[in-house]
Each structure stands twice: as structure tokens, then as C-alpha cells.
């Protein structure tokens, strides 16, 4: 039995395709390998689940790269603000040299990642009370960020007042005014029903986020090689389908969320990127990553710093 935890809702494309992978694995192993998917933080928030997977109390989870980076700093390389022009650019880098380097670092801490990262999409900023059109609108703005060093850094460099809150607690925090806003892909804004407690959404595309399916390393090593191949193939096959489904959902959601009462605006993204350049965000993070990893990223996206 593989207990697979994820902090996303049951109807999110990542959860849907995790269940599809589980069905494939059950069929291909004649029921000898069962993956049971627990969505919506049923096994705890993402920080708790990561601890459980590391100790072996859980066998597997899907975790946002921005959260996993608290343990494996190089994982945050694809979270650099405004690094990717579109999702395909991110997938290409993570399926290539950038992903190869990151997966090696994940293995080094006793976790086994699947070969293909899953897509969470670009993050957008929302607010309860005002439009966000420029970095000036973020001055002192209390915005929720996940427990991720690069997310905290990004919004500090943009002039906001970021506050770390886990996803499982975010709706209530927005509802009660602990924070003024948050930033997530449209798919999460929809599936987590943040439109009920947020009115404005700025299409900033400020950060691309993926989800790594990871397995406890010792558990993975004990699994027979033929079962390892079946599990890997199923999750990597579903990764491609999940990416397409998540992209399609994100592309369709502006209309749906508008119908739910959200008001959208499209800021000039150059204003935000220029602010990050001037504040030293890219130089700071270039110094945190290895030259090999930074150069690998820039070989896909061009010069950042």
C-alpha cells in the first residue's frame, strides 16, 4: 500500500491524474501495488506530509517545488520571478538539464522524485479590496505566501508584507482578514473557492510552480525493479496529461471566475520585473544557486542577472 498525500482539492487536475496513475498501477500489477490518494490535506498540510514522507510514515506525496525548496534549495530554481514566458518553457527546462540537476539534489536527501514534474501553473495576485496594477500597490500589502524562502524574498523585494500560511489555513485567513490577499494559480483560486473571499485578481504570472511526486527513498529501494518501472511510467505518463489538463483549466478560468464576481486586470509586467532587477532580487538568488544550475536555467530563458 502506497499512501499518497496531496494538499489540493479532489477535483484539481493533479489529484484527478494521481488517481488515474493509481488505477494504472493497480491494473498493471494485478492489484499487488495499491496507491491510495488522500487529497485536500487529509493527511496534514504539505509541511507535515513532507516530514512524514521523509520518516517513512507516509510513502508518497505531491509537493509544490516552492515548499520542497525548504529542504532542497535548488528546487526553487524554477520559481524565480518572471523567469518563464509560458508553461511550455518551464516544462522544457524541467524535463531537461535543469530538472536533471534538481532531481539529483532531491535524491541526495533520501527522496525519490518521478522523472517529470507536474504543472501547477503561473501564480496570480488577488486582493480583497483593491486592484494591483504596479509594485506601488503592494507597498505594505499583507499577502499570504507559502512556507517558501523564494516566495518570501520575491514579495519583500516587491515591497509587500508577506506572511507565511499553509494552504489548508488560507481560506479562513482571507475570510477573517489575517491577510489582505494571496497569490496562486487560477486553478487553485477556483478549486479552493478563494473567489468567495477575494474580489480582485491581477494577472501577473509572477511565478511558475510545479508539483514533484516524491517517494520515500528507502521505500522506493525496497520496491522490486519491475514495480518501480510500472509506478514511474504511470506517474510520468499522467504528468503529460496533467500538464495539458491544468493548462486548459487555467486558460478557461478567467471567464468562470468573472461569473463568480472576480474583477480581473492585466498589469504591465515590466514594472514588476524592473523592480526586482533594481532591488537586487536576481543577483541575490544567483548567489544562492550553484553556477551550474543558474547557467542551465539561463540556457533556456536567457540572462536574468
Amino acid at each position: 500500500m502506497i499512501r499518497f498525500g496531496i494538499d489540493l482539492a479532489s477535483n484539481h487536475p493533479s489529484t484527478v491524474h494521481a488517481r488515474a496513475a493509481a488505477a494504472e498501477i493497480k491494473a498493471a500489477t494485478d492489484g499487488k501495488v495499491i496507491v491510495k490518494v488522500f487529497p485536500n490535506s487529509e493527511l496534514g498540510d504539505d509541511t507535515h506530509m513532507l516530514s512524514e514522507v521523509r520518516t517513512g510514515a507516509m510513502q508518497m506525496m505531491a509537493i509544490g517545488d516552492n515548499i520542497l525548496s525548504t529542504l532542497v534549495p535548488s528546487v526553487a530554481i524554477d520559481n524565480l520571478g518572471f523567469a518563464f514566458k509560458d508553461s511550455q518553457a518551464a516544462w522544457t527546462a524541467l524535463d531537461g538539464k535543469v530538472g536533471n540537476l534538481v532531481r539529483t539534489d532531491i535524491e541526495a536527501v533520501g527522496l525519490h522524485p518521478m522523472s517529470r514534474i507536474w504543472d501547477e501553473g503561473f501564480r496570480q495576485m488577488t486582493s480583497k479590496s483593491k486592484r494591483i496594477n504596479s509594485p506601488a500597490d503592494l507597498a505594505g500589502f499583507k499577502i499570504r505566501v507559502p512556507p517558501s524562502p523564494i516566495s518570501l524574498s520575491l514579495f519583500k523585494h516587491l515591497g509587500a508584507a508577506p506572511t507565511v500560511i499553509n494552504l489548508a489555513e488560507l481560506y479562513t485567513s482571507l475570510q477573517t482578514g489575517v491577510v489582505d490577499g494571496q497569490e496562486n494559480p487560477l486553478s487553485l483560486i477556483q478549486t479552493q473557492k478563494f473567489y468567495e473571499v477575494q474580489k480582485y485578481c491581477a494577472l501577473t504570472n509572477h511565478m511558475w510552480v510545479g508539483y514533484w511526486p516524491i517517494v520515500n527513498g528507502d521505500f522506493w529501494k525496497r520496491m522490486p525493479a519491475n514495480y518501480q518501472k510500472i509506478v514511474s511510467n504511470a506517474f510520468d505518463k499522467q504528468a503529460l496529461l496533467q500538464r495539458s489538463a491544468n493548462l486548459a483549466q487555467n486558460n478557461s478560468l478567467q471567464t468562470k471566475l468573472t461569473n463568480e464576481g472576480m474583477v480581473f486586470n492585466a498589469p504591465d509586467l515590466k514594472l514588476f520585473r524592473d523592480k526586482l532587477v533594481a532591488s537586487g532580487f536576481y543577483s541575490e538568488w544567483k548567489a544562492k544557486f550553484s553556477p551550474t544550475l543558474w547557467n542551465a536555467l539561463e540556457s533556456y530563458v536567457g540572462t536574468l542577472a
Side-chain angles (χ1 to χ4, degrees):
M1 168 73 73
I2 296 174
R3 294 200 304 160
F4 179 104
I6 188 168
D7 62 353
L8 302 174
S10 294
N11 61 339
H12 190 280
S14 296
T15 310
V16 171
H17 286 277
R19 287 195 166 118
E24 287 189 23
I25 292 164
K26 180 179 180 180
T29 62
D30 296 322
K32 293 183 174 63
V33 179
I34 300 294
V35 179
K36 186 171 182 182
V37 178
F38 294 86
N40 213 28
S41 301
E42 288 178 10
L43 298 181
D45 63 37
D46 37 25
T47 305
H48 173 79
M49 287 191 288
L50 177 58
S51 176
E52 293 284 279
V53 173
R54 293 187 71 195
T55 63
M58 279 173 56
Q59 294 75 39
M60 192 171 187
M61 72 179 295
I63 184 169
D65 43 20
N66 51 353
I67 308 298
L68 184 55
S69 68
T70 60
L71 175 65
V72 187
S74 64
V75 170
I77 189 70
D78 58 51
N79 297 150
L80 279 167
F82 305 97
F84 298 111
K85 65 178 182 178
D86 54 34
S87 294
Q88 183 61 60
W91 304 337
T92 300
L94 271 295
D95 287 344
K97 293 183 292 184
V98 173
N100 291 339
L101 292 166
V102 169
R103 283 186 290 273
T104 297
D105 289 345
I106 296 173
E107 292 274 8
V109 299
L111 299 169
H112 177 76
M114 297 295 101
S115 296
R116 291 194 176 107
I117 196 169
W118 292 29
D119 184 90
E120 194 55 37
F122 285 98
R123 300 174 83 88
Q124 320 296 352
M125 302 181 199
T126 70
S127 168
K128 181 178 181 179
S129 60
K130 68 176 182 178
R131 288 180 173 85
I132 298 169
N133 282 304
S134 73
D137 296 317
L138 291 173
F141 183 75
K142 292 187 297 181
I143 188 165
R144 174 268 178 181
V145 297
S148 156
I150 201 165
S151 296
L152 273 168
S153 173
L154 176 73
F155 281 95
K156 285 179 179 177
H157 278 275
L158 287 173
T163 301
V164 172
I165 299 171
N166 271 297
L167 183 65
E169 303 162 9
L170 179 50
Y171 184 98
T172 301
S173 297
L174 293 168
Q175 187 178 43
T176 58
V178 172
V179 286
D180 304 313
Q182 62 87 52
E183 45 86 50
N184 261 304
L186 294 185
S187 57
L188 260 76
I189 293 169
Q190 198 256 346
T191 57
Q192 299 291 330
K193 299 185 178 181
F194 295 149
Y195 56 82
E196 295 179 347
V197 287
Q198 296 278 274
K199 182 174 180 61
Y200 299 100
C201 181
L203 297 172
T204 49
N205 287 338
H206 56 274
M207 179 187 291
W208 183 86
V209 177
Y211 262 58
W212 283 108
I214 56 172
V215 188
N216 173 274
D218 290 335
F219 178 85
W220 182 257
K221 290 173 186 174
R222 292 194 301 268
M223 187 181 293
N226 59 324
Y227 288 167
Q228 288 180 350
K229 184 175 181 180
I230 289 170
V231 171
S232 294
N233 287 347
F235 274 98
D236 288 343
K237 172 188 170 184
Q238 290 298 324
L240 298 177
L241 300 172
Q242 184 275 345
R243 290 173 182 180
S244 296
N246 198 65
L247 182 61
Q249 177 167 305
N250 275 322
N251 288 343
S252 71
L253 282 176
Q254 184 174 342
T255 298
K256 292 180 181 178
L257 290 168
T258 298
N259 291 338
E260 296 288 354
M262 290 204 88
V263 177
F264 285 83
N265 63 292
D268 180 354
L269 303 188
K270 187 175 183 298
L271 297 174
F272 294 87
R273 196 171 190 281
D274 288 350
K275 173 77 170 179
L276 293 180
V277 172
S279 68
F281 172 80
Y282 295 107
S283 298
E284 175 186 317
W285 283 90
K286 181 178 181 178
K288 292 178 184 290
F289 294 118
S290 73
T292 302
L293 183 58
W294 188 268
N295 292 337
L297 178 67
E298 289 195 330
S299 73
Y300 291 98
V301 303
T303 302
L304 293 169

